[in-house]
Amino acid sequence: QKEVEQNSGPLSVPEGAIASLNCTYSDRGSQSFFWYRQYSGKSPELIMSIYSNGDKEDGRFTAQLNKASQYVSLLIRDSQPSDSATYLCAVNPFSGGYNKLIFGAGTRLAVHP
Amino acid sequence: DGGITQSPKYLFRKEGQNVTLSCEQNLNHDAMYWYRQDPGQGLRLIYYSQIVNDFQKGDIAEGYSVSREKKESFPLTVTSAQKNPTAFYLCASSRTGPLNEKLFFGSGTQLSVL
């Protein structure tokens, strides 16, 4: 059974700090990796995608991928209270075609003023 | 505006009843998906479809059925065989092909049992 593991949290950080969210996956052949943000009672929204080893930056968000260690992380710089949400890590174990994403259970982030 | 529309937002099912959740998209996406989310858990794939008149079971298809008669529509029926249907149901769509993996989600349907 292919798995994606995340700490459930809550991860509590002060406003302006860096929030670090981590995710590990079991299928070594996985090709693409995603971070979704989900506010309570709402649908997930994609915030980052990453396909190759290293860092990918987009505004205050940085995704990091290490395929050898089978982990992917998300850094949120200058955290804001509006970043408080559940962050879902998703992994596609297939190289294109069907998007049979496998989702982790999510990490709840709480940014306090 | 393009997007995915799910209805209803809230749905209540009586014991032994089948209920159908609607999902319509105007993004011209070939692929559509149904996910189930339980509190504190990630999304689990119920069914998916890449083309009209074809669909595949996901990880938790038992007790559910789907149809894909039109590209724009992918309704999900929760049958009486699904003994624990209370959950948040999410429909999604995407383009197909390499690196076309961004999922667009509808706003979800919360299903509860009376």
Side-chain angles (χ1 to χ4, degrees):
Chain A
Q1 178 74 13
K2 300 179 176 67
E3 294 182 344
V4 175
E5 300 287 343
Q6 297 180 254
N7 288 326
S8 60
L11 173 66
S12 182
V13 300
E15 184 175 357
I18 296 175
S20 177
L21 306 164
N22 299 310
C23 170
T24 60
Y25 59 93
S26 62
D27 187 345
R28 186 172 290 277
S30 297
Q31 299 293 322
S32 43
F33 308 86
F34 307 88
W35 284 100
Y36 285 82
R37 178 176 63 198
Q38 186 177 26
Y39 294 109
S40 181
K42 303 296 184 182
S43 58
E45 56 178 321
L46 180 68
I47 54 174
M48 290 290 286
S49 59
I50 188 167
Y51 302 93
S52 54
N53 282 329
D55 295 358
K56 178 182 178 182
E57 185 174 321
D58 184 0
R60 295 188 297 112
F61 299 99
T62 298
Q64 300 174 316
L65 175 61
N66 184 323
K67 290 186 178 180
S69 300
Q70 295 176 238
Y71 83 78
V72 57
S73 62
L74 179 70
L75 301 179
I76 306 174
R77 290 181 299 281
D78 188 24
S79 296
Q80 301 297 309
S82 59
D83 294 326
S84 298
T86 296
Y87 289 80
L88 302 171
C89 174
V91 174
N92 190 347
F94 302 97
S95 55
Y98 282 115
N99 294 334
K100 291 181 66 177
L101 296 189
I102 300 173
F103 285 82
T107 297
R108 189 158 58 91
L109 173 66
V111 181
H112 53 86
Chain B
D1 288 335
I4 300 179
T5 301
Q6 285 188 244
S7 62
K9 187 173 178 64
Y10 299 97
L11 185 59
F12 297 91
R13 193 192 88 166
K14 297 179 180 179
E15 188 173 346
Q17 184 183 41
N18 293 352
V19 292
T20 297
L21 284 61
S22 171
C23 178
E24 303 277 337
Q25 56 99 356
N26 60 4
L27 299 167
N28 199 33
H29 287 167
D30 288 311
M32 297 187 74
Y33 313 80
W34 274 105
Y35 286 90
R36 167 178 172 145
Q37 186 175 33
D38 294 277
Q41 298 190 31
L43 281 63
R44 292 184 290 168
L45 184 63
I46 304 173
Y47 269 99
Y48 59 100
S49 168
Q50 197 172 30
I51 58 173
V52 174
N53 292 323
D54 183 61
F55 48 83
Q56 306 294 328
K57 293 182 179 180
D59 300 319
I60 55 166
E62 185 174 353
Y64 301 97
S65 65
V66 294
S67 62
R68 187 85 186 277
E69 297 177 0
K70 298 186 302 182
K71 185 176 183 178
E72 301 79 17
S73 179
F74 192 41
L76 173 74
T77 296
V78 184
T79 74
S80 57
Q82 173 49 249
K83 298 305 181 187
N84 184 24
T86 297
F88 188 50
Y89 290 85
L90 286 159
C91 179
S93 71
S94 74
R95 294 186 297 168
T96 55
L99 300 183
N100 282 326
E101 297 164 305
K102 179 178 179 180
L103 289 181
F104 292 78
F105 284 93
S107 57
T109 294
Q110 176 64 51
L111 175 62
S112 302
V113 176
L114 289 175

